[in-house]
Amino acid sequence: MHIYRAQQDITATASEVWNALANVTVWPEWLPTVLEVQPLAGQVLSVGAKFKIIQPKLRPTVWEVTELHPGENFAWQASSPGLMLWANHTVVELPDRRSEVLLEFRFSGILAPLIALLAGSVTKRYLAIEVASIKRRAEVIAGPRQAGADHRDR
């Protein structure tokens, strides 16, 4: 099993971060690692909902939501013969109207070592881009903060 993680402190409430993260159908508007999101079973995030995600340099993948705790986290998975993909998206409330986002991605199955070798660097790069993009998006949603709070977090 190969696990990758990226996290980011954000000057926005967990609710504001969740609003950016959970609206997966608009990710292509602000997330450079996602070209297209096609809802296949359910338009909104819910257990059992399926979304086809098209990303640069990767094969289109159908993800099924397997776990959802609104406002806190969701996980989804995708599979093909010999390979299981799993991704988790977690938002944690911090003091002073701040939060943290944690993205986790896992390859498992008989082909996982090969896929991790071939796609591991892209996975790491995409996770870094995604947490930075979530930060920007959530901070736009949050709007301006007091100057003291902004300087403390940057």
Side-chain angles (χ1 to χ4, degrees), residues 15 18 86 130:
S15 175
W18 181 257
W86 173 87
E130 289 167 3

Side-chain angles (χ1 to χ4, degrees), residues 22-25 39-51 65 68 76:
N23 194 356
V24 299
T25 58
L40 301 177
Q43 293 286 319
V44 297
L45 213 55
S46 60
V47 172
K50 294 181 182 180
F51 300 89
V65 178
L68 174 64
W76 54 17

Side-chain angles (χ1 to χ4, degrees), residues 7-130:
Q7 63 188 59
Q8 178 73 55
D9 285 349
I10 301 174
T11 306
T13 65
S15 175
E16 291 160 338
V17 175
W18 181 257
N19 287 339
L21 192 58
N23 194 356
V24 299
T25 58
V26 299
W27 283 2
E29 296 175 14
W30 58 269
L31 191 55
T33 59
V34 176
L35 299 174
E36 190 175 341
V37 176
Q38 299 172 4
L40 301 177
Q43 293 286 319
V44 297
L45 213 55
S46 60
V47 172
K50 294 181 182 180
F51 300 89
K52 182 177 183 180
I53 307 289
I54 299 173
Q55 296 181 270
K57 300 183 182 183
L58 299 174
R59 294 176 50 133
T61 303
V62 175
W63 291 89
E64 181 176 354
V65 178
T66 56
E67 184 178 339
L68 174 64
H69 298 94
E72 297 174 12
N73 86 302
F74 77 93
W76 54 17
Q77 64 184 27
S79 62
S80 61
L83 183 64
M84 176 71 72
L85 307 175
W86 173 87
N88 189 51
H89 313 73
T90 302
V91 179
V92 177
E93 186 81 38
L94 299 175
D96 300 326
R97 295 183 50 85
R98 294 179 309 114
S99 58
E100 178 182 82
V101 66
L102 170 65
L103 303 182
E104 300 171 285
F105 189 91
R106 178 175 66 215
F107 297 112
S108 60
I110 195 157
L111 294 178
L114 176 62
I115 299 301
L117 181 65
L118 296 173
S121 64
V122 171
T123 301
K124 288 177 192 175
R125 186 168 63 252
Y126 280 15
L127 286 174
I129 291 168
E130 289 167 3

